């Protein structure tokens, strides 16, 4: 017990820093991924055939290859193009581009599951296509897929740990360094796990509240 | 057209073999472990159930990379000398097990109560009801989620390279460090992963639609 | 099982419900029900929705626990027994063995979707009684013929109409050779044109002397087949008696109102 206390008081500042970096990366990547996801479904909604096919191909590649390799591609590739972006920026872009693809799939399935009747109801009262999409389709699709979106965002938070592989001093890398310095692998793991669980379960809780609210308002 | 990729392809494919083997071990053992735990969670007592809930909560809430580090550093701390592969494989099996256990538990809970009531009404006892009525139906419901979890796990085997296990991603980094041809190599490697994952991905989607019982 | 040691009831009641009470938290659903059913008797339970008919029926094979009162099936206590003056739940084994004698048919059929029609009917004899396959198959085929479903023996339930599924469900329950059959609104989920084929099977069963408790809204069935009609409302038995008596000459306003609403629907 004492060993635990000593360990935590000694390394707490480092873990707090790591926690802030992880939370920061997540706070940048999550909105970016959501915006990217919405951009990605526009071609389909607008029925731009070629652009939709391109998006489909992009989504398939993202879904079927590891985020780590995508991150390496940016981190080691961009400098060859003369772009010397920081590892945090590369990490955020990589996370947003993979999770944006996953999120857009989720949004798309939500839109598809809405019945044709919604469209017809919208057009019957004389709304233009984009108005129907904005006022009728998107809000309903959004509510329907909230649980799936939420799960994906939690996966996103966990995936921020990959920025440690390109040298960002996040929670995971802090944990690794601490183990190497102190040899206290269990203590470090407990500390790291604790901070990640705070992030993922707080996010889970907030999402659950939003779900309940949304269901009450529109359900 | 891609000279660096071409000349290094045999080396990368060797890495891919390691990736496939690691994936196969992790997916098969993780699924078996997870299904077992999911069933236990559905038949066991309150204490067992809360232990399993804690396990699922912990392992689903923490990045797999962190679990890998735990495995990599803590087995030696316990006096066990394991190579990086074994440490990674064990960590990932336990990790995948948590996801499969949750899916299994959900699938079992998803079998309609009418089914268990009908079985009870025939005079069937709990164990037999699980084997004859609930599990066969739950296993159908669990196939699609397990395929998706497997897909996730295959991609995550690439993180093994971070803790020092040599496989496709590790090989890719070695080649890039030597040749600096980041685009050729990493895009090529993404394509190799794609070839491994895409069939599973298609199967998952097809099953998602097909496996529900007509009612 | 150990029939000789089981307490023998005074009468030849197959099912005896005494002072049955049950609440869902604060809502009292059954407020002291007494119903007994003799061998070969067909009792039809009528009553508005929410009056506790399903709950009562489900208590008889202990799919539902209850707070007070006793139920016996062939003299064997259901769910609870008295040990040194206190009421104790019986074991899971005892519940299971009791349920072998009580056939139940549900509104939603509840056939096992992963098994064929024949396998559904064989399930009880083979998996519960441990009967060998060929003997169980003979019994199952006979029962399927009886409900007019032998031509679909190898089909999966998902391919059948509601009426066909319900007839298979009846055969599945009969395969256990129960002493009493419970039917809970078994035609309510069916399209109108399919109701007749299921009622016909039930009528034939009644004629063969099967003991039955039938919850239904089919007034014609009650009038034509029931030996006794029980009218429930608000968790109590309001009236009971032979259908020709109480359905033509109801004694209470509640039953009269119920009848007029339902008979006008039929006409
Ligand atoms: N599981 C349950 N939890 C709470 N209330 C229930 C439950 N099942 C039934 N009830 C309530 O008990 C009452 C009687 O239900 P039920 O026996 O199904 O009536 P009936 O079959 O006559 O329509 C209803 O008010 C119903 O809402
Ligand atoms: Mg009912």
């Amino acid at each position: 017990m004492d060993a635990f206390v000593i360990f935590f008081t000694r390394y707490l500042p480092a873990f707090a820093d790591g926690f802030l970096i992880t939370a920061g990366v997540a706070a940048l990547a999550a909105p970016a991924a959501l915006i990217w996801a919405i951009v990605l479904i526009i071609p389909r909604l607008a029925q731009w055939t070629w652009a939709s096919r391109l998006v489909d191909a992009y989504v398939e590649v993202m879904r079927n290859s590891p985020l780590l390799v995508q991150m390496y591609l940016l981190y080691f590739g961009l400098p060859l193009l003369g772009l010397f972006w920081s590892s945090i920026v590369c990490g955020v872009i990589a996370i947003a581009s993979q999770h944006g693809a996953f999120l857009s799939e989720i949004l798309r399935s939500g839109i598809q599951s809405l019945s044709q009747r919604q469209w017809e109801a919208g057009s019957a009262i004389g709304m233009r296509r984009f108005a129907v999409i904005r006022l009728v389709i998107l809000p309903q699709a959004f509510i329907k897929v909230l649980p799936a979106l939420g799960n994906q965002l939690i996966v996103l938070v966990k995936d921020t740990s990959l920025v440690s592989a390109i040298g960002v001093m996040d929670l995971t890398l802090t944990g690794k360094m601490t183990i190497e310095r102190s040899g206290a692998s269990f203590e470090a793991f407990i500390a790291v796990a604790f901070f990640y669980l705070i992030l993922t379960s707080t996010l889970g809780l907030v999402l659950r509240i939003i779900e309940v609210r949304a269901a009450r308002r529109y359900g | 057209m891609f000279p660096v990729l071409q000349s290094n392809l045999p080396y990368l494919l060797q890495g891919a073999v390691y990736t496939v083997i690691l994936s196969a071990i992790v997916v098969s053992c993780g699924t078996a472990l997870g299904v077992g735990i999911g069933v236990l969670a559905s038949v066991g007592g309150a204490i067992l159930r809360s232990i399993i809930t804690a396990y699922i909560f912990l392992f689903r809430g923490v990045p797999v990379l962190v679990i890998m580090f735990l495995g990599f550093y803590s087995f030696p701390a316990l006096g066990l000398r394991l190579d990086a592969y074994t440490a990674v494989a064990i960590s990932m099996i336990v990790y995948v097990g948590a996801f499969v256990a949750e899916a299994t538990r959900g699938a079992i809970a998803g079998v309609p109560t009418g089914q268990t009531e009908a079985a009870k009404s025939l005079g069937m006892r709990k164990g037999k009801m699980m084997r004859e009525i609930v599990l066969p139906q739950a296993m159908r419901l669990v196939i699609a989620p397990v395929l998706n979890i497997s897909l996730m796990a295959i991609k995550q085997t690439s993180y093994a390279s971070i803790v020092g296990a040599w496989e496709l991603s590790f090989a890719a980094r070695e080649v890039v460090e030597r040749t600096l041809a980041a685009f050729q190599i990493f895009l090529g490697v993404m394509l190799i992963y794609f070839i491994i994952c895409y069939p599973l991905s298609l199967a998952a989607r097809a099953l998602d639609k097909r496996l529900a019982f007509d009612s | 099982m150990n029939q000789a040691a089981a307490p023998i009831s005074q009468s030849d009641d197959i099912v005896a419900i005494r002072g049955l009470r049950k609440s869902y938290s604060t809502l009292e659903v059954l407020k002291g029900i007494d119903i007994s059913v003799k061998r070969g008797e067909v009792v039809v339970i009528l009553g508005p929705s929410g009056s506790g008919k399903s709950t009562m029926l489900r208590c008889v094979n202990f799919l539902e626990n209850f707070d007070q009162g006793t139920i016996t099936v062939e003299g064997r206590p259901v769910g609870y027994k008295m040990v040194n003056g206190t009421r104790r739940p019986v074991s899971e084994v005892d519940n299971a063995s009791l349920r072998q004698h009580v056939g139940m048919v549900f509104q939603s059929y509840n056939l096992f979707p992963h098994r064929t029609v024949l396998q559904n009917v064989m399930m009880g004899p083979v998996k519960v009684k441990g009967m060998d396959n060929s003997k169980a198959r003979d019994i199952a085929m006979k029962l399927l013929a009886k409900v007019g479903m032998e031509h679909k023996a190898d089909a999966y339930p998902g391919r059948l109409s509601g009426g066909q599924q319900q007839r298979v469900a009846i055969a599945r329950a009969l395969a256990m050779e129960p002493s009493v059959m419970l039917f809970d609104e078994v035609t309510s989920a069916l399209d109108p044109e399919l109701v007749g084929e299921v009622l016909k099977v039930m009528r034939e069963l009644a004629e063969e002397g099967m003991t039955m408790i039938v919850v239904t809204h089919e007034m014609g069935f009650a009038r034509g087949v029931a030996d006794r009609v029980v009218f429930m409302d608000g968790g109590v038995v309001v009236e009971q008696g032979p259908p020709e008596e109480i359905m033509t000459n109801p004694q209470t306003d509640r039953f009269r109102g119920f009848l007029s609403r339902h008979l006008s629907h039929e006409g």
Side-chain angles (χ1 to χ4, degrees):
Chain A
M1 208 57 228
D2 277 358
F4 259 67
V5 175
I6 293 167
F7 176 87
F8 281 122
T9 41
R10 174 141 180 220
Y11 290 102
L12 190 64
F15 281 120
D17 285 349
F19 175 78
L20 287 179
I21 297 284
T22 290
V25 171
L28 289 173
L34 271 172
I35 291 168
W36 185 223
I38 291 171
V39 171
L40 287 175
I41 53 170
I42 288 176
R44 179 164 294 272
L45 291 179
Q47 298 177 326
W48 299 329
T49 318
W50 281 103
S52 314
R53 278 188 200 158
L54 215 62
V55 167
D56 286 351
Y58 166 82
V59 168
E60 288 304 335
V61 171
M62 287 290 132
R63 279 166 55 96
N64 292 291
S65 59
L67 176 54
L68 180 66
V69 179
Q70 295 160 14
M71 207 175 271
Y72 283 158
L73 178 67
L74 291 180
Y75 185 68
F76 295 104
L78 288 179
L80 304 181
L81 303 177
L83 297 169
F84 295 91
W85 289 353
S86 74
S87 26
I88 287 200
V89 173
C90 292
V92 167
I93 295 175
I95 294 170
S97 49
Q98 181 172 68
H99 283 271
F102 273 97
L103 291 169
S104 82
E105 275 281 270
I106 294 171
L107 284 180
R108 201 178 83 173
S109 72
I111 290 170
Q112 272 171 355
S113 72
L114 285 180
S115 63
Q116 191 65 26
R117 231 181 303 149
Q118 298 287 344
W119 284 97
E120 284 158 9
S123 340
I125 48 178
M127 280 197 249
R128 305 250 324 277
R129 186 172 179 85
F130 268 103
V132 174
I133 290 172
R134 200 161 49 81
L135 298 174
V136 183
I137 302 293
L138 277 185
Q140 288 199 46
F142 196 69
I143 288 165
K144 211 159 188 180
V145 298
L146 259 178
L149 280 181
N151 282 339
Q152 192 60 39
L153 287 179
I154 290 173
V155 176
L156 181 148
V157 169
K158 293 192 289 173
D159 273 351
T160 60
S161 65
L162 286 188
V163 296
S164 68
I166 52 174
V168 177
M169 201 52 171
D170 74 335
L171 203 43
T172 301
L173 194 51
T174 307
K176 180 177 181 253
M177 299 295 236
T178 313
I179 294 173
E180 278 167 2
R181 208 167 304 154
S182 69
S185 58
F186 277 113
E187 287 87 340
F189 170 74
I190 288 169
V192 170
F194 173 77
F195 281 115
Y196 272 114
L197 286 173
I198 286 185
L199 268 184
T200 50
S201 36
T202 314
L203 181 60
L205 210 65
V206 170
L207 289 164
R208 183 59 47 82
I209 292 169
I210 294 176
E211 255 170 59
V212 171
R213 290 257 171 92
R216 205 175 295 152
R217 185 172 311 168
Y218 304 101
Chain B
M1 203 157 100
F2 302 109
V4 184
L5 179 60
Q6 265 173 27
S7 59
N8 287 286
L9 196 57
Y11 190 65
L12 293 175
L13 288 179
Q14 210 178 321
V17 171
Y18 277 77
T19 291
V20 169
I21 293 174
L22 185 60
S23 300
I25 292 172
V26 165
V27 165
S28 54
C29 298
T31 302
L33 177 74
V35 168
I37 290 177
V39 171
L40 272 184
S42 308
V43 298
I47 296 172
L48 186 61
R49 272 210 308 274
S50 40
I51 293 173
I52 293 173
T53 304
Y55 156 72
I56 291 175
F57 175 74
L58 177 65
F59 282 88
R60 282 172 48 104
V62 174
V64 64
L65 184 55
V66 173
I67 312 281
M68 283 182 187
F69 278 129
L70 173 73
F72 185 71
Y73 287 108
S74 60
F75 286 117
L78 293 173
L80 282 166
R81 301 224 161 273
L82 297 182
D83 57 286
Y85 288 108
T86 317
V88 163
I90 293 176
S91 311
M92 283 198 73
I93 287 169
V94 177
Y95 183 78
V96 168
F99 282 77
V100 175
E102 177 72 357
T104 304
R105 194 162 70 165
I108 289 175
V111 173
T113 49
Q115 290 293 310
T116 53
E117 290 187 346
K120 279 188 202 164
S121 298
L122 291 176
M124 215 177 261
R125 296 195 44 199
K126 272 190 186 153
K128 200 157 269 179
M129 184 165 84
M130 216 5 129
R131 277 199 306 279
E132 298 290 339
I133 308 299
V134 177
L135 283 185
Q137 296 185 56
M139 286 307 105
R140 270 179 93 105
L141 295 176
V142 102
I143 292 173
V146 163
L147 278 179
N148 280 317
I149 294 166
S150 306
L151 213 54
M152 169 194 88
I154 295 171
K155 292 187 286 172
Q156 286 171 343
T157 58
S158 63
Y159 309 174
S161 63
I162 304 175
V163 296
W166 189 85
E167 40 64 83
L168 181 52
S169 298
F170 200 112
R173 279 203 60 174
E174 285 176 335
V175 174
V176 171
E177 264 154 35
R178 217 161 10 84
T179 63
L180 298 180
F183 283 103
Q184 279 183 50
I185 297 303
F186 287 131
L187 284 173
V189 164
M190 277 171 69
L191 185 67
I192 297 176
Y193 275 108
F194 184 88
I195 292 168
I196 298 172
C197 292
Y198 194 55
L200 263 181
S201 196
L202 286 181
R205 233 177 282 173
L207 283 179
D208 243 345
K209 290 188 188 118
R210 264 228 339 254
L211 269 185
F213 285 103
D214 332 292
S215 55
Chain C
M1 306 242 100
N2 199 356
Q3 296 278 354
I8 306 296
S9 62
Q10 299 86 336
S11 60
D12 55 349
D13 289 343
I14 296 283
V15 178
I17 304 172
R18 301 261 175 277
L20 178 64
R21 283 176 178 273
K22 174 174 178 67
S23 304
Y24 288 111
S25 62
T26 58
L27 177 72
E28 192 172 34
V29 177
L30 301 177
K31 303 172 181 166
I33 302 275
D34 297 281
I35 297 174
S36 48
V37 183
K38 295 199 193 330
R39 187 176 303 280
E41 200 178 12
V42 177
V43 172
V44 169
I45 316 277
L46 299 178
S49 128
S51 57
K53 307 180 297 293
S54 296
T55 309
M56 186 274 290
L57 207 61
R58 290 160 56 83
C59 285
V60 174
N61 69 351
F62 207 59
L63 287 180
E64 222 54 83
N65 57 16
F66 47 92
D67 309 324
Q68 277 180 48
T70 58
I71 302 177
T72 56
V73 172
E74 290 189 302
R76 293 168 39 148
V78 174
Y80 308 92
K81 57 187 169 197
M82 299 304 280
V83 180
N84 303 329
T86 54
R87 185 173 182 261
R88 294 270 172 76
V90 304
S91 67
E92 198 245 323
V93 192
D94 286 346
N95 277 327
S97 92
L98 178 109
R99 288 183 184 127
Q100 295 184 30
H101 303 280
V102 183
M104 178 127 188
V105 186
F106 302 86
Q107 180 175 339
S108 48
Y109 336 126
N110 299 343
L111 291 180
F112 305 130
H114 60 300
R115 292 278 180 263
T116 63
V117 163
L118 181 63
Q119 288 167 335
N120 263 273
V121 181
M122 289 169 63
M123 183 69 81
V126 173
K127 300 295 177 188
V128 179
K129 285 185 172 170
M131 190 182 288
D132 67 67
N133 262 303
S134 60
K135 195 171 166 212
R137 179 184 302 269
D138 289 345
I139 293 177
M141 285 310 293
K142 282 206 189 84
L143 287 169
L144 284 174
K146 185 190 179 99
V147 300
M149 287 299 297
E150 73 276 39
H151 62 295
K152 292 284 189 186
D154 295 322
Y156 280 88
R159 299 262 167 262
L160 306 182
S161 75
Q164 291 177 322
Q165 290 192 54
Q166 199 58 295
R167 287 185 279 147
V168 174
I170 294 174
R172 179 179 66 180
L174 289 174
M176 290 300 290
E177 302 183 306
S179 351
V180 56
M181 288 280 288
L182 313 177
F183 295 84
D184 189 4
E185 297 200 31
V186 297
T187 57
S188 297
L190 299 178
D191 293 336
E193 71 271 21
L194 302 177
V195 169
E197 64 191 55
V198 174
L199 290 182
K200 177 168 166 278
V201 168
M202 291 166 67
R203 188 170 286 133
E204 285 164 6
L205 262 185
E207 280 160 10
E208 287 166 19
M210 174 58 78
T211 312
M212 298 162 59
I213 308 180
V214 183
V215 173
T216 186
H217 289 296
E218 296 293 331
M219 295 297 144
F221 183 84
R223 203 189 294 271
V225 183
D227 297 308
R228 182 155 42 102
V229 167
V230 173
F231 175 65
M232 280 178 66
D233 194 6
V236 295
V237 172
V238 178
E239 272 190 56
Q240 58 176 312
E244 60 277 14
E245 269 174 39
I246 72 164
M247 288 181 78
T248 44
N249 189 14
Q251 298 297 305
T252 57
D253 288 343
R254 278 198 276 182
F255 192 27
R256 196 169 307 135
F258 176 84
L259 283 176
S260 65
R261 275 193 302 282
H262 282 269
L263 292 176
S264 62
H265 273 290
E266 298 233 314

